[in-house]
Amino acid sequence: MVKKVEVLGSGCPKCKQTVKIMEMAIAELGVDATVEKVDDINEIISRGVVATPAVAIDGKVVLSGKVPTLEEAKTLLSK
């Protein structure tokens, strides 16, 4: 099953870095996943995110307010 990874943020440098880290983790793990950027502030707020960047996997917010390390990203994808 393909995982849907969403990075929620306004497009700031930390948000862009989070996208890169999630893509690196997906590549290293060989996970079948897609990464999408969500920059619509209303959608971000509607998901209950108050600090960006945030990461949602299959619709569930799993991290917010920081850039994950590569190891953290791998752990999030493995759950």
Side-chain angles (χ1 to χ4, degrees):
M1 183 175 160
V2 178
K3 289 188 176 200
K4 182 178 177 183
V5 177
E6 297 168 294
V7 176
L8 296 87
S10 62
C12 66
K14 288 182 178 179
C15 300
K16 293 175 184 173
Q17 186 178 0
T18 299
V19 170
K20 288 181 184 175
I21 289 171
M22 294 309 295
E23 289 174 339
M24 288 172 51
I26 289 167
E28 288 193 15
L29 292 174
V31 175
D32 194 6
T34 61
V35 178
E36 294 181 15
K37 180 89 176 68
V38 177
D39 57 7
D40 180 0
I41 191 69
N42 291 325
E43 183 173 343
I44 293 169
I45 291 171
S46 74
R47 292 184 184 205
V49 173
V50 293
T52 60
V55 176
I57 298 177
D58 293 333
K60 181 180 177 185
V61 176
V62 294
L63 178 85
S64 70
K66 67 178 222 173
V67 177
T69 64
L70 182 57
E71 290 305 314
E72 287 173 326
K74 288 180 180 178
T75 300
L76 294 173
L77 289 166
S78 298
K79 291 182 180 178

